[in-house]
Amino acid sequence: MKNPKDASQRIITLLTDFGTKSGYTGCVKGVILRINPDVQIVDITHQINPFDIWEACFVLSNSYQYFPKDTIHLVVVDPGVGSPRKAILLRTERYFFLGPDNGVFSYVFDKEKILEIKSITNQKYFIGKPSFTFHARDIFAPVAGYISLGVKIDEFGPDAKDCYKFRIPSPEIYKDKIVGEIIYVDKFGNLITNIDQNLVDSFTKKGSFEIVFKKRRIKKISLSYFEGRRKEILAILGSSGLLEISSFEGSAQKILSGRIGDKVKIEFKR
Amino acid sequence: MKNPKDASQRIITLLTDFGTKSGYTGCVKGVILRINPDVQIVDITHQINPFDIWEACFVLSNSYQYFPKDTIHLVVVDPGVGSPRKAILLRTERYFFLGPDNGVFSYVFDKEKILEIKSITNQKYFIGKPSFTFHARDIFAPVAGYISLGVKIDEFGPDAKDCYKFRIPSPEIYKDKIVGEIIYVDKFGNLITNIDQNLVDSFTKKGSFEIVFKKRRIKKISLSYFEGRRKEILAILGSSGLLEISSFEGSAQKILSGRIGDKVKIEFKR
Amino acid sequence: MKNPKDASQRIITLLTDFGTKSGYTGCVKGVILRINPDVQIVDITHQINPFDIWEACFVLSNSYQYFPKDTIHLVVVDPGVGSPRKAILLRTERYFFLGPDNGVFSYVFDKEKILEIKSITNQKYFIGKPSFTFHARDIFAPVAGYISLGVKIDEFGPDAKDCYKFRIPSPEIYKDKIVGEIIYVDKFGNLITNIDQNLVDSFTKKGSFEIVFKKRRIKKISLSYFEGRRKEILAILGSSGLLEISSFEGSAQKILSGRIGDKVKIEFKR
């Protein structure tokens, strides 16, 4: 593996609900490149549903860990822009994260060792007098640019306390069943649950089981979509390490009218 | 701030109506990178409504100025491709602009000091015999690539005269009111008017006023979306420095069926 | 023309059906950049219709050849992920291609001189234990990253035999007519046929002809969309060198309800 020769070749990722139509992401990229023209900018997505902080939080949790050390992750889904919500900057062992303090980093708080959290307040690093409506361009983009140049994170503001975290829904575990729920629906219509591989493994090896979703009873966990007949409903351990209700070449979401929050049960039979 | 070490590290932005589905933007990027593999290509958007020159013109006007000096802005919304419309190349104090001579640069002509305008005619810099349908790939992309390598712009053709400009609609100003109009609807459904911050400031500080849009009467200008209740209609000075009719976590466009061309009034009461 | 100074500045293109919403492309890019942070990643498209191998095959055939020598083209439309279908790696005179062995490279096999084909099996270059559902992240992305660092392609596995190829539909040629078909509908609604410029030229110069599509009779081949009146139906030789049924500022697809597989005839009259 190669490492960037110096900080100025760092990577900045973008994850927003800006869409790609109105040029807002162009502004953000321009501001970053004006500060550091050598940085590499990578779009994770700009298609988060407008104002859907939870979706941003989940999509981030499935992507950030694949990037090289020192990558700067900029996450802006920010219905409270212009309100007193803090703008925060996290440093973990491997990455930097910037965004509004509204819960988008809940999974990061859960999974990563946090070394520092700063409240971004130092106007020296902002673009002009920040607007009240576009902090991605006026605050987050320039701060990300300066971090990529090696500016120390104490420069940007004081320690932040009491950051906002979602309660990440965890499955209920009983003697004879697990009750989880759908937490995300992906682009292919796969219904992704909050039941992870370890939990599935620890229970399913004890005996036979059935997965129950919307009156469907699924009797095994498939290794790949390919095991099903076309549009058959499958349970599968997906690429994020979570149990998914899926369908081979079909959309489980459409076939079953599945939604975020729908319950999924694993029932055991000894 | 750092500057690119030499011209070959310049940035080329793309703004088109090609969509991202059919691979056309891939061709454009391939051609550029074959000429200069060190250039950085940034998508502003490829989601302009097909053939909507005005939309391209407005989106460009909100993005180009955030990029570093010497950025090359390539704008192709080109219903007249294959017709006698000129292909033009503008040099301003800070940037280069390339695209069809159909009005896409109207705001640039308005806001920037233009140093040179060339008509792109020198086939030496084209890819093969240009098609009549895809000048972005065959003419604009290679010319942008060669500019990024430092080729002087006189090389590409003679001075261009009489370039096409839209009449940019300006608000009508009366003693007791301003009548503007919606000129753009963004991705969040914000209705953006042609009434700018200076105009609003110069009038509203004189006394009380009401903003009238589709029989709604709005009595103040909010600083941020956050000041409204959920889905309440607000007037706000948006990130492009223009008055917007907006809604907190809602789409003003949907709530009010707002469209480009709809009138917006500010009425004064002394 | 400049060439990248060393292999590590190579370009990797991505062509998938992942969409841009769920962060899957972010994972792929992260994995590549972790292996080679200096590589340039270019999106051709992520908007292929889910599981539509043919569409990916066609879009690839119109884009890959515009990229610099040694570009690595990563194509993942992979309904059979997790099945015994091979993962393959092609080296041609100018490029590398990686993807599932399901027909996506049919045009490449047809047009390019293939130097080597490998079956990707060497787990040393995979990310962890590959999932059964996301080979783009776990297998194709890291292998593309290592190729960009100059790893020799024999490293990745043994020669692959009997790769899957689509029968690419070719027009039927009779004494007095050619019968072709629509093989792709682009973003503007242009209906692209499998009748290429050479075939059109060799026949149409012999005498007068009519192009027949869905009871419409078109008497000439236009040079550009611009020759038509607004929304008039035209026949045109498009940017991919194929005969298209098109419309000036309109969608021929919508106007004529055109679909892939619809027949297009050229009838000759001596």
Side-chain angles (χ1 to χ4, degrees):
Chain A
M1 307 244 173
K2 289 180 68 181
N3 269 315
K5 273 147 266 160
D6 60 63
S8 70
Q9 284 169 290
R10 272 186 191 146
I11 292 158
I12 296 177
T13 75
L14 304 181
L15 197 166
T16 79
D17 62 350
F18 296 168
T20 51
K21 192 170 168 52
S22 301
Y24 293 131
T25 60
C27 299
V28 169
K29 292 176 185 179
V31 169
I32 291 171
L33 291 167
R34 210 158 63 182
I35 293 169
N36 183 359
D38 296 327
V39 85
Q40 172 135 215
I41 301 173
V42 176
D43 298 307
I44 292 184
T45 181
H46 300 291
Q47 310 292 351
I48 298 295
N49 287 317
F51 321 121
D52 192 335
I53 300 167
W54 169 255
E55 188 188 8
C57 180
F58 183 80
V59 169
L60 178 68
S61 79
N62 273 320
S63 329
Y64 75 83
Q65 66 276 40
Y66 294 99
F67 283 84
K69 193 163 182 304
D70 293 332
T71 293
I72 299 157
H73 294 293
L74 180 44
V75 182
V76 189
V77 175
D78 194 10
V81 63
S83 79
R85 68 101 187 89
K86 287 193 289 288
I88 55 174
L89 166 54
L90 276 64
R91 189 164 70 83
T92 69
E93 287 193 304
R94 304 194 64 223
Y95 301 116
F96 299 88
F97 295 87
L98 290 91
D101 176 29
N102 61 13
V104 279
F105 300 123
S106 300
Y107 272 109
V108 176
F109 283 122
D110 219 48
K111 292 178 173 185
E112 296 291 311
K113 189 171 166 192
I114 311 287
L115 303 182
E116 290 181 272
I117 311 176
K118 300 289 172 186
S119 180
I120 303 172
T121 57
N122 189 347
Q123 301 220 7
K124 175 178 159 193
Y125 295 104
F126 297 175
I127 290 290
K129 185 166 171 298
S131 71
F132 287 91
T133 55
F134 197 5
H135 285 185
R137 179 192 68 193
D138 303 335
I139 297 178
F140 294 115
V143 169
Y146 287 110
I147 294 172
S148 79
L149 287 178
V151 174
K152 292 279 166 269
I153 76 166
D154 329 22
E155 274 290 304
F156 300 106
D159 285 346
K161 303 226 167 72
D162 301 320
C163 290
Y164 190 87
K165 288 169 220 179
F166 288 125
R167 195 191 62 73
I168 295 172
S170 44
E172 299 156 34
I173 300 170
Y174 302 90
K175 221 172 64 180
D176 60 339
K177 65 181 175 188
I178 298 171
V179 182
E181 62 187 88
I182 304 301
I183 55 171
Y184 183 67
V185 182
D186 82 1
K187 192 257 166 172
F188 294 96
N190 297 313
L191 303 164
I192 299 174
T193 75
N194 60 347
I195 304 174
D196 72 15
Q197 180 145 17
N198 291 337
L199 193 56
V200 170
D201 285 353
S202 67
F203 277 73
T204 55
K205 65 185 164 199
K206 290 187 196 158
S208 69
F209 62 91
E210 283 183 349
I211 294 165
V212 188
F213 182 69
K214 295 215 163 199
K215 294 185 182 163
R216 301 269 183 141
R217 307 190 78 88
I218 305 164
K219 288 178 203 303
K220 66 163 183 170
I221 293 177
S222 301
L223 280 173
S224 72
Y225 305 119
F226 193 76
E227 286 184 29
R229 291 184 311 276
R230 216 155 170 269
K231 311 219 166 169
E232 184 183 342
I233 295 300
L234 306 172
I236 197 166
L237 281 160
S239 58
S240 31
L242 297 169
L243 185 71
E244 294 178 14
I245 309 296
S246 301
S247 162
F248 175 54
E249 292 198 18
S251 160
Q253 175 188 30
K254 282 191 192 149
I255 297 168
L256 301 171
S257 308
R259 293 176 175 218
I260 290 177
D262 285 350
K263 297 295 178 196
V264 178
K265 269 188 285 189
I266 308 183
E267 297 179 351
F268 300 99
K269 302 175 168 186
R270 309 224 187 169
Chain B
M1 306 243 175
K2 289 181 68 181
N3 270 314
K5 273 147 266 159
D6 60 64
S8 70
Q9 284 169 288
R10 273 186 191 145
I11 292 159
I12 296 176
T13 75
L14 305 180
L15 197 166
T16 78
D17 62 350
F18 296 168
T20 51
K21 194 171 166 49
S22 300
Y24 295 132
T25 61
C27 298
V28 169
K29 292 176 185 180
V31 169
I32 292 171
L33 291 166
R34 211 158 61 181
I35 293 167
N36 183 358
D38 295 326
V39 85
Q40 172 134 219
I41 301 173
V42 176
D43 298 308
I44 292 184
T45 181
H46 299 292
Q47 308 293 350
I48 298 295
N49 287 317
F51 321 121
D52 192 335
I53 300 167
W54 169 255
E55 187 187 8
C57 181
F58 183 81
V59 169
L60 178 66
S61 80
N62 273 320
S63 331
Y64 75 82
Q65 65 274 38
Y66 294 100
F67 283 84
K69 192 163 182 306
D70 293 332
T71 294
I72 299 156
H73 294 294
L74 180 44
V75 182
V76 189
V77 175
D78 193 10
V81 63
S83 79
R85 68 101 186 91
K86 288 192 288 288
I88 56 173
L89 165 53
L90 276 63
R91 189 163 69 85
T92 69
E93 286 192 308
R94 305 193 64 223
Y95 302 116
F96 299 88
F97 295 86
L98 291 91
D101 176 28
N102 61 12
V104 280
F105 300 124
S106 300
Y107 273 108
V108 176
F109 283 121
D110 220 49
K111 293 179 173 183
E112 296 292 311
K113 189 170 165 195
I114 311 289
L115 302 182
E116 291 182 273
I117 312 177
K118 300 290 173 186
S119 179
I120 302 172
T121 56
N122 189 349
Q123 301 220 6
K124 176 179 159 191
Y125 296 105
F126 298 175
I127 290 291
K129 185 167 170 298
S131 71
F132 288 91
T133 55
F134 197 5
H135 286 184
R137 179 192 68 193
D138 303 334
I139 297 178
F140 294 115
V143 169
Y146 287 110
I147 294 172
S148 78
L149 287 178
V151 175
K152 293 278 167 267
I153 75 166
D154 329 21
E155 273 290 305
F156 300 106
D159 286 347
K161 303 225 166 73
D162 302 320
C163 290
Y164 190 87
K165 287 169 220 179
F166 288 125
R167 194 192 62 76
I168 295 172
S170 43
E172 299 157 32
I173 300 170
Y174 302 90
K175 221 173 62 180
D176 60 340
K177 66 180 175 190
I178 298 171
V179 182
E181 62 187 88
I182 304 301
I183 55 171
Y184 184 68
V185 183
D186 82 1
K187 193 257 165 170
F188 295 96
N190 296 312
L191 303 164
I192 299 173
T193 75
N194 60 347
I195 305 174
D196 71 15
Q197 181 145 17
N198 291 337
L199 193 56
V200 170
D201 286 353
S202 67
F203 276 73
T204 56
K205 63 185 164 200
K206 291 186 195 160
S208 68
F209 63 93
E210 284 184 350
I211 295 165
V212 188
F213 181 69
K214 296 214 162 197
K215 296 184 180 163
R216 302 272 183 137
R217 306 189 77 88
I218 306 165
K219 288 175 206 300
K220 66 163 186 169
I221 293 177
S222 301
L223 280 172
S224 72
Y225 305 118
F226 194 75
E227 286 183 30
R229 291 187 309 280
R230 212 153 176 270
K231 309 219 167 169
E232 184 184 343
I233 294 300
L234 306 171
I236 196 166
L237 280 160
S239 59
S240 31
L242 298 168
L243 185 70
E244 294 179 14
I245 309 296
S246 302
S247 162
F248 176 55
E249 291 198 17
S251 161
Q253 175 188 32
K254 282 191 192 148
I255 298 168
L256 300 171
S257 307
R259 290 177 177 220
I260 290 178
D262 285 349
K263 297 294 179 198
V264 178
K265 272 189 284 189
I266 309 184
E267 297 180 351
F268 300 100
K269 304 177 168 185
R270 309 225 188 170
Chain C
M1 306 242 175
K2 290 182 65 179
N3 269 313
K5 272 147 268 160
D6 60 62
S8 70
Q9 283 168 290
R10 272 184 192 146
I11 291 160
I12 296 176
T13 75
L14 305 181
L15 197 166
T16 78
D17 62 350
F18 296 169
T20 51
K21 193 172 167 49
S22 300
Y24 294 131
T25 60
C27 299
V28 169
K29 292 175 185 179
V31 168
I32 291 171
L33 291 166
R34 210 159 62 182
I35 293 168
N36 183 359
D38 295 327
V39 85
Q40 172 133 219
I41 301 173
V42 177
D43 299 307
I44 292 184
T45 181
H46 300 292
Q47 309 293 348
I48 297 296
N49 287 318
F51 321 122
D52 191 336
I53 300 167
W54 169 256
E55 188 188 8
C57 181
F58 183 80
V59 169
L60 178 67
S61 79
N62 274 319
S63 331
Y64 75 82
Q65 65 274 39
Y66 294 100
F67 283 84
K69 193 165 182 304
D70 293 332
T71 293
I72 299 156
H73 294 295
L74 180 45
V75 183
V76 189
V77 175
D78 194 11
V81 63
S83 79
R85 68 99 186 92
K86 289 192 287 287
I88 55 174
L89 165 54
L90 276 63
R91 189 164 70 85
T92 68
E93 286 192 305
R94 304 193 65 224
Y95 301 117
F96 299 87
F97 295 86
L98 290 91
D101 176 29
N102 62 12
V104 280
F105 300 123
S106 300
Y107 273 109
V108 175
F109 283 121
D110 220 49
K111 293 178 173 185
E112 297 292 310
K113 190 173 165 191
I114 311 287
L115 303 182
E116 291 181 272
I117 311 177
K118 300 290 173 185
S119 179
I120 302 172
T121 56
N122 188 349
Q123 301 220 5
K124 176 178 159 191
Y125 296 104
F126 298 176
I127 290 290
K129 187 166 170 296
S131 71
F132 287 90
T133 55
F134 197 4
H135 286 184
R137 178 191 69 193
D138 303 335
I139 297 178
F140 294 115
V143 169
Y146 286 110
I147 294 171
S148 78
L149 287 178
V151 174
K152 293 278 166 268
I153 75 166
D154 330 21
E155 274 289 305
F156 300 106
D159 286 346
K161 302 226 167 72
D162 302 319
C163 289
Y164 191 86
K165 288 169 220 179
F166 288 125
R167 196 191 61 75
I168 296 172
S170 44
E172 298 157 34
I173 300 169
Y174 301 92
K175 221 171 64 178
D176 61 339
K177 66 181 175 188
I178 299 170
V179 182
E181 62 187 87
I182 304 302
I183 56 171
Y184 184 67
V185 182
D186 82 1
K187 192 257 167 172
F188 294 97
N190 296 312
L191 302 164
I192 299 173
T193 75
N194 60 347
I195 304 173
D196 71 17
Q197 180 144 17
N198 291 336
L199 194 56
V200 170
D201 286 353
S202 66
F203 277 72
T204 55
K205 64 185 165 202
K206 291 184 196 161
S208 69
F209 62 91
E210 284 183 351
I211 295 165
V212 188
F213 182 68
K214 295 214 162 199
K215 294 184 182 163
R216 302 269 183 141
R217 307 189 77 87
I218 306 164
K219 287 175 205 304
K220 67 163 185 170
I221 293 177
S222 301
L223 279 173
S224 72
Y225 305 119
F226 194 75
E227 287 184 28
R229 292 186 310 277
R230 214 156 172 267
K231 310 221 166 167
E232 185 184 341
I233 295 300
L234 306 171
I236 196 166
L237 280 161
S239 59
S240 32
L242 297 169
L243 185 71
E244 295 178 14
I245 309 297
S246 302
S247 162
F248 176 54
E249 292 198 17
S251 160
Q253 175 188 31
K254 282 190 191 150
I255 297 169
L256 301 170
S257 308
R259 293 175 174 220
I260 290 178
D262 284 350
K263 296 296 178 195
V264 178
K265 270 188 283 189
I266 309 183
E267 297 179 351
F268 300 99
K269 301 175 168 188
R270 312 228 184 167

